Amino acid sequence: MNKLLTILFLLIFTVSFSQENDSIKKKDTIKKDLKVGLVLSGGGAKGFAHVGVLKVLEETGVRVDYIGGTSMGAIVGAMYASGYNAKEIDSLIRTFDFDKIMQDQIPRKSKPFYEKQNGEKYAITLPVERGKVGLPKALSKGQNVLNLTSELLQHVDTIRDFNKLPIPFFCIATNLETGKQELLNSGFLPRAVQASGAFPTLLEPIEIDGKLLADGGIVNNFPIDEVLEMGADIIIGIDLKNDFDTKDELNSALKILNQIIGFQMYKDYGDKIKKTDVYLHPNIDQYEVTSFDKLEEIVKVGEDAARLKFDELVKIAAQQIGKREPILRKENPQEIKIKSIEIKGNKDYTRTYIKEKMKIANGEAITFSDFVEGINNLSATGNFTSVQYEIEEEKDGSIIRLKLKQNDISTYVNFSVHYDNLYKTGVLGNITSKHVLNKNDVFSLDLILGDNLRYNLDYFIDNGSNWSFGLKSRFNTFDFDTSLHTNGFNVSQLNLKYIDFTNQLYFQTVLNRKFALGIGAEHKRISASTKTLITTTNQEKTYFDRSDYFNAISYLKFDTYDKKYFQKEGTFVDIDFRWYLFSSDYNDNFNSFSQLKGKFGYAHTFFNKLTAHITSEAGITIGDNNNFILDYHLGGYGENYINSFIPFQGYEFAGLSNSTFLKSALTLRYEFIKKHYLMTTLNVARADSNLFNGGDIFENTKTGYGIGYGFDSFLGPVELNYTHSPDTKESFWYFNLGYWF
């Protein structure tokens, strides 16, 4: 009986073990789908290496299931998570002008007309708060970063939960109040990415849900644990960490700041690297966070680093069930149909003011580029330190949400330096203040110290397309050597001292930031004297003019130049009419007369390198002008000539003079290195007492040409020019440094 029970027990155990073993074998045959998490660290321009790695990941067939990124890793990661493939990202980043993006350069067309005419001459701008001169929070407000990411991610603007993106995603930012990390996995994706990449001193921090956020790399530049928590089985980590610099290498403020931040960023890197299954560390020690001009090289470095792990990546791909299918991104809408507009933060500015500046209204449809232009227009007023926005797309239209932060600082000091052959050295100090007497006003005072003491004072109440009111006062002086063959004088060379003191009251209206029309009244005192020629024994100098003039003025201006200097595109028109009504009449020969002067310019660039810039100018005198000082004087090289002085290459300053003139010039500029130009100019002119000369307007035409080099520096244009005229056989060298003022 016992033997029978034993046999029965063994039989049951054998059958049971066999069934269990079969079950285990079946489980082993069911392949587990391997989930891959991708971790993208920050590194500024070095983050382009991520793009190279992504290209290799796609080549090996690895499917990315989760993405966590910081700073530039957040930007690249968000694009990949939203549906772009590596090739598309590679192509897109090559089209970006990162200098403009990082410096927050607002397109010139968005600037108020007053700013175009008066503001583009300062190299350094510092805020004044509570009577003290301070430093800006950062070099850039980050507006262009938001505009760019909003456009790139427009196809997912309805997704507020980042886990619902084609690839679940999050990014890391630093809470500047607590010093702790903020994991951003919901909200408005472009703003989250902007906050994650707000590198201290370069980009201003971003406020989200009441928290002031900056670059996530400060607290967590390699978010391994957070990606693991998303459900990743395998971690592929791209680490852009540089080795710490030696004391000899710490030779700039940016490098020192990076080193200090690095102590916090890299303190627990050893543990994170151990948790990384495929650790990629591209060799980017030779690059900086600002090496945006080395984009192609950095992408290649990332690609090379990934190829070193090519076989390992292929094995991971082989363990995944299903590959990444091409994500069909919805096309960015051609137009934004505005359903409603929500505005917050405009305590001192009406909704109408905001909408008028942006050119938006409920029920209208605008393109995204027009919307961005409106954002730039609003930012260019200087009345807001932050213009944040969200676009929420719904079936019957989009909700525009604007969150504005008004600029509490209304006063700034500005500085520039300059040298040219006429004015010589000059150091410009400026104070600009808004809301002095009126909410829309601006007060500006330039004081120029150097070889020639000068000042410019402006007060302007800007009412846009409505009539605006302005006051100007200017004191300008310079001296130059010239020959004088007029008014009974026949001198081969003398030194002439010229002083201009001008005061204007005017009214102006502006249309579309391009077109300005103005009328006004003017007092002008002109003094022209020399110590070279003494006509009386008791006189230290001879005056050719020492008169006060009272004039009526009007002008028409049109300006679409993309830049004030080294223009590449655009048109410029400046027509000025001045009616000399009365004079104190130092020479006792004044008769009322008027002058009409006009300038036309057009610039166009071919092949993105070669610019043709055509200018034409003309001036006529209506009535009898008996004072040769008020004639038109052509000659020299410069941008800030006043009154009736006109630059003309090939002739000395004021080398051609008469009551009428006609001048045309063609300048070719070739940008052989970014911001470096080779230039050549041909100009022709005729100065005569009769502009039309009985139809023969080319008789007695004068010719001059110039060749030179130009550099568009942060101080302004730097130029070296050689000019010559075949008429006189004379040649002149001109050198100028800095913005013209």
Side-chain angles (χ1 to χ4, degrees):
M1 185 65 178
N2 289 335
K3 288 183 177 180
L4 182 61
L5 290 173
T6 300
I7 293 170
L8 183 61
F9 175 76
L10 289 173
L11 182 62
I12 292 171
F13 177 78
T14 302
V15 171
S16 175
F17 179 79
S18 177
Q19 288 176 341
E20 186 177 345
N21 194 44
D22 288 344
S23 176
I24 292 172
K25 287 181 178 179
K26 285 181 180 178
K27 286 182 180 178
D28 286 344
T29 60
I30 299 174
K31 184 179 179 181
K32 179 184 178 182
D33 186 17
L34 204 63
K35 298 290 187 179
V36 172
L38 183 65
V39 179
L40 306 177
S41 74
K46 295 181 289 186
F48 295 137
H50 295 318
V51 181
V53 174
L54 288 173
K55 291 166 74 173
V56 176
L57 289 182
E58 291 184 354
E59 189 178 334
T60 60
V62 171
R63 186 196 70 229
V64 176
D65 299 291
Y66 308 104
I67 300 177
T70 298
S71 195
M72 183 61 84
I75 296 174
V76 175
M79 292 180 68
Y80 200 66
S82 73
Y84 290 99
N85 61 43
K87 185 177 180 181
E88 290 172 323
I89 298 174
D90 187 34
S91 297
L92 279 168
I93 61 175
R94 294 172 191 270
T95 66
F96 301 154
D97 187 335
F98 286 97
D99 282 343
K100 287 185 178 179
I101 293 169
M102 298 307 296
Q103 296 174 21
D104 226 16
Q105 295 179 9
I106 295 174
R108 191 169 183 268
K109 64 181 179 180
S110 295
K111 294 181 180 179
F113 202 90
Y114 174 87
E115 178 71 16
K116 289 182 182 180
Q117 298 297 305
N118 299 279
E120 298 174 297
K121 55 186 174 183
Y122 307 122
I124 299 173
T125 297
L126 300 174
V128 178
E129 191 170 11
R130 298 185 182 93
K132 296 181 179 179
V133 178
L135 294 173
K137 292 181 181 178
L139 294 177
S140 167
K141 293 188 294 184
Q143 191 66 58
N144 284 346
V145 175
L146 179 62
N147 293 344
L148 176 63
T149 53
S150 295
E151 183 174 11
L152 292 173
L153 302 173
Q154 192 181 0
H155 58 284
V156 291
D157 60 9
T158 60
I159 298 176
R160 291 298 188 263
D161 182 353
F162 302 167
N163 288 313
K164 294 181 180 179
L165 290 168
I167 302 175
F169 168 81
F170 72 84
C171 58
I172 299 293
T174 300
N175 189 317
L176 289 180
E177 291 183 293
T178 66
K180 297 180 180 179
Q181 81 168 28
E182 297 287 341
L183 190 147
L184 305 176
N185 59 5
S186 63
F188 187 53
L189 182 58
R191 189 184 298 174
V193 168
Q194 182 190 17
S196 182
F199 189 84
T201 72
L202 289 181
L203 297 169
E204 283 193 8
I206 305 301
E207 186 176 329
I208 297 179
D209 297 331
K211 301 173 183 177
L212 193 63
L213 306 179
D215 195 298
I218 300 171
V219 290
N220 190 353
N221 199 46
F222 205 47
I224 295 286
D225 294 328
E226 291 76 8
V227 176
L228 285 169
E229 289 175 9
M230 296 177 81
D233 302 307
I234 291 287
I235 294 293
I236 299 174
I238 309 171
D239 177 16
L240 303 179
K241 175 177 70 70
N242 278 358
D243 293 332
F244 288 124
D245 289 329
T246 65
K247 65 178 181 180
D248 294 331
E249 293 170 327
L250 293 171
N251 52 15
S252 72
L254 186 59
K255 283 189 174 184
I256 293 172
L257 179 62
N258 283 337
Q259 187 99 321
I260 294 171
I261 293 174
F263 297 147
Q264 168 71 19
M265 290 169 59
Y266 305 141
K267 65 180 181 180
D268 57 352
Y269 249 53
D271 294 336
K272 292 185 176 185
I273 292 172
K274 291 177 183 178
K275 296 177 183 179
T276 308
D277 299 283
V278 180
Y279 178 70
L280 300 173
H281 187 202
N283 182 19
I284 51 173
D285 286 349
Q286 68 270 38
Y287 302 107
E288 305 292 340
V289 294
T290 55
S291 298
F292 294 103
D293 57 330
K294 303 291 195 260
L295 182 153
E296 191 169 350
E297 295 176 22
I298 297 173
V299 171
K300 181 65 166 55
V301 170
E303 196 172 338
D304 292 342
R307 292 199 180 281
L308 295 176
K309 301 290 181 76
F310 194 89
D311 293 341
E312 194 174 340
L313 294 171
V314 170
K315 290 178 182 178
I316 291 173
Q319 298 177 65
Q320 292 184 295
I321 299 174
K323 305 304 176 187
R324 170 176 160 126
E325 297 294 331
I327 298 172
L328 297 177
R329 302 191 318 275
K330 70 172 186 177
E331 293 294 324
N332 290 340
Q334 295 297 311
E335 291 185 326
I336 302 171
K337 185 179 179 182
I338 301 175
K339 176 183 176 182
S340 63
I341 303 169
E342 299 176 6
I343 305 175
K344 294 182 179 180
N346 56 318
K347 57 182 180 181
D348 292 330
Y349 299 92
T350 65
R351 284 176 54 86
T352 302
Y353 173 86
I354 305 298
K355 291 160 69 175
E356 193 275 335
K357 290 294 181 183
M358 291 186 60
K359 300 287 190 264
I360 60 174
N362 290 3
E364 289 188 349
I366 62 172
T367 64
F368 186 81
S369 61
D370 286 340
F371 176 77
V372 169
E373 183 177 333
I375 291 292
N376 288 333
N377 292 345
L378 192 60
S379 182
T381 64
N383 296 324
F384 304 94
T385 58
S386 174
V387 182
Q388 299 289 322
Y389 60 88
E390 294 182 13
I391 304 173
E392 185 171 338
E393 200 175 326
E394 297 187 346
K395 290 183 180 180
D396 55 345
S398 296
I399 301 173
I400 306 294
R401 293 190 176 93
L402 297 173
K403 186 176 182 181
L404 311 175
K405 186 176 181 181
Q406 287 190 192
N407 193 350
D408 296 328
I409 300 173
S410 59
T411 302
Y412 294 86
V413 292
N414 306 282
F415 302 95
S416 278
V417 294
H418 181 81
Y419 175 84
D420 68 68
N421 294 64
L422 178 63
Y423 288 98
K424 309 301 181 184
T425 57
V427 177
L428 166 64
N430 165 271
I431 183 167
T432 298
S433 187
K434 293 186 175 183
H435 322 309
V436 178
L437 301 175
N438 185 286
K439 185 178 291 186
N440 298 337
D441 71 7
V442 57
F443 169 86
S444 175
L445 174 63
D446 292 338
L447 180 61
I448 301 155
L449 304 176
D451 290 294
N452 293 282
L453 180 67
R454 293 173 282 157
Y455 83 78
N456 292 291
L457 183 148
D458 281 278
Y459 177 77
F460 187 63
I461 300 175
D462 188 358
N463 294 319
S465 57
N466 296 321
W467 283 100
S468 303
F469 170 76
L471 290 170
K472 288 185 178 182
S473 180
R474 177 185 75 196
F475 179 81
N476 193 296
T477 179
F478 53 86
D479 61 85
F480 60 98
D481 294 325
T482 184
S483 57
L484 193 62
H485 304 287
T486 186
N487 278 30
F489 298 106
N490 190 356
V491 182
S492 60
Q493 197 77 16
L494 60 76
N495 181 265
L496 191 67
K497 181 73 172 181
Y498 186 91
I499 298 174
D500 169 271
F501 177 53
T502 297
N503 302 286
Q504 292 180 347
L505 180 154
Y506 64 98
F507 296 89
Q508 174 180 289
T509 181
V510 173
L511 297 177
N512 222 11
R513 286 178 161 78
K514 302 175 183 176
F515 177 89
L517 176 67
I519 57 172
E522 174 185 77
H523 161 255
K524 184 181 290 290
R525 179 173 179 81
I526 292 179
S527 172
S529 63
T530 183
K531 292 183 178 181
T532 309
L533 179 67
I534 305 299
T535 57
T536 62
T537 56
N538 297 326
Q539 212 172 12
E540 291 186 358
K541 61 181 72 173
T542 297
Y543 285 94
F544 298 105
D545 194 12
R546 201 180 183 183
S547 303
D548 291 281
Y549 298 94
F550 301 90
N551 313 320
I553 60 172
S554 62
Y555 58 85
L556 183 153
K557 300 177 186 290
F558 180 81
D559 188 353
T560 64
Y561 277 159
D562 61 332
K563 300 168 65 178
K564 190 165 186 176
Y565 306 105
F566 303 117
Q567 303 89 349
K568 289 192 172 183
E569 299 290 342
T571 303
F572 179 83
V573 176
D574 185 358
I575 299 174
D576 178 271
F577 177 76
R578 178 170 280 100
W579 186 1
Y580 289 83
L581 295 170
F582 309 102
S583 172
S584 60
D585 200 7
Y586 176 80
N587 291 309
D588 196 26
N589 62 355
F590 175 80
N591 294 309
S592 178
F593 69 98
S594 57
Q595 289 182 327
L596 177 64
K597 182 176 66 173
K599 180 178 180 179
F600 167 81
Y602 174 74
H604 181 69
T605 297
F606 304 88
F607 316 115
N608 203 36
K609 292 289 185 181
L610 180 63
T611 300
H613 190 190
I614 301 170
T615 58
S616 289
E617 296 182 68
I620 60 173
T621 300
I622 304 168
D624 294 328
N625 169 32
N626 299 314
N627 186 349
F628 77 96
I629 294 297
L630 299 179
D631 278 345
Y632 296 107
H633 307 284
L634 281 67
Y637 183 90
E639 292 283 344
N640 59 340
Y641 287 2
I642 62 171
N643 296 341
S644 53
F645 292 94
I646 313 295
F648 184 64
Q649 295 191 41
Y651 277 73
E652 67 176 347
F653 183 79
L656 289 173
S657 299
N658 221 308
S659 58
T660 69
F661 81 96
L662 182 64
K663 171 200 161 186
S664 292
L666 170 63
T667 298
L668 297 177
R669 283 191 297 269
Y670 179 71
E671 189 175 14
F672 64 97
I673 301 175
K674 190 172 185 179
K675 295 188 176 183
H676 294 262
Y677 302 87
L678 294 176
M679 307 174 295
T680 180
T681 297
L682 171 66
N683 53 195
V684 294
R686 189 171 67 84
D688 207 330
S689 59
N690 186 343
L691 179 66
F692 301 104
N693 196 31
D696 192 0
I697 62 174
F698 298 106
E699 184 183 17
N700 199 27
T701 296
K702 308 300 182 182
T703 305
Y705 64 81
I707 56 174
Y709 158 79
F711 171 42
D712 192 1
S713 76
F714 80 96
L715 289 173
V718 179
E719 296 177 90
L720 178 64
N721 287 276
Y722 168 81
T723 70
H724 177 78
S725 173
D727 307 323
T728 63
K729 312 301 182 186
E730 290 186 311
S731 300
F732 303 93
W733 284 94
Y734 293 97
F735 173 74
N736 65 273
L737 165 69
Y739 293 110
W740 293 89
F741 49 74

